[in-house]
Amino acid sequence: MDSNFCVISNNCWGAELYIERGIQYNTPFVGLFIPPIQFVKMVDNLPLYLKCKLVFIKETKFIEYEKLHAKNKYPIALLGDIEIHFMHYKDEDEASEKWIRRLSRMPQDSSNWFVKACDGEIINWKEYASLWNSIQYSKVFFSAKKRIDINNLVHIAESFNDYVTDGKALYKLSKDYFDVDKWIDSKGELWCVKKISTKRYLKFLFVKLKYKKGKLW
């Protein structure tokens, strides 16, 4: 299996790939998350943003993340105008040190860059789709819904909500729908979508029905 690749992920999905292959992170996008619109804006101009230095801030400008940050008190930094939430880091020093070290390992050849995103927390789909579709690197987008406006989409049918599950759980689930290994090892040349069995899907629908009823009650 190839080890000279860099996963640029909006959440912890990417870290799971490195863990599964037992190789060191050669991407700084590990243990963190980036708000959706900011993520695609950054990736669309990635070489420019990667030249910026992290500038740590005390508060997020995104109202939807205020409670999460107040509860977990993780570091937040700006990369240019992009807000990065280092959710799995204890302090600014650790976040900065690991960002710089992993950034230095990134392959210089952008054909070894792989972008992953998913549909959670996206509000302005028109703006998001425009930015996502203009990204030139190998990319995959996991979605709970079939959307015709998003390029390189893989539909995750086993989704309890209108969006896919969190990054760590999604990695394991997504491999049943998309051959991640072929995608990486072929430098994005092989795009192999999989289908789950009808029996498995019907079993999921039964579980989902119980889940929805539980939320209603």
Side-chain angles (χ1 to χ4, degrees):
M1 287 187 174
D2 191 11
S3 61
N4 186 36
F5 61 86
C6 172
V7 177
I8 299 137
S9 178
N10 62 316
N11 59 22
C12 295
W13 185 94
E16 295 302 304
L17 198 158
Y18 288 92
I19 293 169
E20 184 176 70
R21 294 197 175 197
I23 57 177
Q24 66 180 2
Y25 299 128
N26 61 357
T27 175
F29 299 97
V30 173
L32 53 81
F33 72 87
I34 301 172
I37 289 292
Q38 294 233 304
F39 178 74
V40 286
K41 179 183 178 183
M42 177 195 71
V43 178
D44 210 28
N45 297 278
L46 194 56
L48 177 64
Y49 277 107
L50 291 179
K51 293 178 182 178
C52 298
K53 291 184 177 181
L54 292 177
V55 177
F56 287 91
I57 56 177
K58 298 302 181 184
E59 297 179 350
T60 175
K61 70 177 182 180
F62 294 92
I63 298 174
E64 58 267 40
Y65 302 125
E66 287 180 350
K67 289 184 179 179
L68 179 66
H69 181 244
K71 179 181 178 180
N72 295 281
K73 302 192 182 301
Y74 55 77
I76 302 176
L78 291 176
L79 187 69
D81 60 347
I82 304 301
E83 193 170 291
I84 302 179
H85 292 242
F86 289 92
M87 188 172 181
H88 298 295
Y89 295 82
K90 62 183 179 181
D91 54 38
E92 295 178 3
D93 288 340
E94 182 189 26
S96 179
E97 187 273 327
K98 289 187 176 180
W99 174 272
I100 293 170
R101 173 155 47 90
R102 292 164 179 169
L103 178 62
S104 70
R105 297 178 187 152
M106 275 187 70
Q108 295 301 306
D109 183 356
S110 62
S111 69
N112 291 316
W113 295 359
F114 297 85
V115 181
K116 171 269 167 188
C118 53
D119 56 8
E121 301 171 340
I122 298 173
I123 299 172
N124 189 334
W125 276 98
K126 185 176 181 179
E127 180 184 3
Y128 185 94
S130 176
L131 288 167
W132 171 262
N133 292 342
S134 66
I135 293 172
Q136 298 300 305
Y137 312 118
S138 296
K139 59 190 177 182
V140 62
F141 186 91
F142 297 110
S143 176
K145 293 185 175 182
K146 295 179 180 179
R147 303 186 62 93
I148 62 172
D149 54 343
I150 296 287
N151 294 343
N152 301 81
L153 183 143
V154 174
H155 175 222
I156 306 296
E158 293 167 293
S159 297
F160 286 95
N161 300 293
D162 292 333
Y163 49 87
V164 295
T165 187
D166 65 90
K168 185 174 182 178
L170 177 61
Y171 178 74
K172 182 177 180 180
L173 180 60
S174 66
K175 295 196 76 176
D176 290 337
Y177 288 83
F178 179 64
D179 198 322
V180 176
D181 294 317
K182 284 186 178 180
W183 179 55
I184 295 290
D185 295 331
S186 69
K187 294 186 181 294
E189 292 294 323
L190 295 179
W191 183 267
C192 302
V193 177
K194 305 176 184 179
K195 289 185 177 181
I196 60 171
S197 69
T198 301
K199 181 179 179 180
R200 172 172 161 174
Y201 184 59
L202 290 175
K203 183 178 179 180
F204 166 75
L205 289 179
F206 177 72
V207 174
K208 183 176 181 178
L209 180 62
K210 292 176 64 177
Y211 167 77
K212 291 293 186 182
K213 283 185 175 181
K215 290 190 71 174
L216 289 173
W217 288 105

